[in-house]
Amino acid sequence: WKRAEEIKIKTLWDLGTWEIVATPAGCVPLPCTWSYSVKRDSDGNVSKFKERWCARGDMQMPWEYRNTYSPTSRFAAVRMIIVTAAQEGME
């Protein structure tokens, strides 16, 4: 697992998914934890150790919920945009 964690951390750094910044006054960072799983091939042999770095969102204070936003869209909406673009001859 240790090697899988090292690879994950290196990948996240290389992709620039985060940066180290000073914590604003009065704020407490959310704790994080590792989540592990084993990927197996069709014969049931271990093919890969998978890991995920997860923020503990359950520890977030209720008044902080409005400070987070993750835009999502339904597949039907995306499909409608693609169909409209195709009908209008957009590329």
Side-chain angles (χ1 to χ4, degrees), residues 17 20-21 44 46 52-53 57 65 69 76-77:
T17 57
I20 297 177
V21 297
V46 174
R52 184 177 305 148
W53 183 242
Y65 292 154
Y69 178 72

Side-chain angles (χ1 to χ4, degrees), residues 65-86:
Y65 292 154
R66 68 178 180 270
N67 296 332
T68 61
Y69 178 72
S70 178
T72 59
S73 61
R74 293 179 29 198
F75 179 72
V78 173
R79 195 168 93 189
M80 181 59 72
I81 292 169
I82 292 170
V83 167
T84 303

Side-chain angles (χ1 to χ4, degrees), residues 28-82:
V28 179
L30 290 175
C32 298
T33 185
W34 285 101
S35 174
Y36 302 102
S37 63
V38 177
K39 189 169 186 157
R40 298 183 182 274
D41 60 15
S42 58
D43 297 326
N45 301 319
V46 174
S47 63
K48 189 174 184 180
F49 292 100
K50 303 274 294 181
E51 74 301 313
R52 184 177 305 148
W53 183 242
C54 305
R56 294 280 313 272
D58 60 318
M59 305 280 297
Q60 189 174 10
M61 297 299 162
W63 57 85
E64 294 175 338
Y65 292 154
R66 68 178 180 270
N67 296 332
T68 61
Y69 178 72
S70 178
T72 59
S73 61
R74 293 179 29 198
F75 179 72
V78 173
R79 195 168 93 189
M80 181 59 72
I81 292 169
I82 292 170

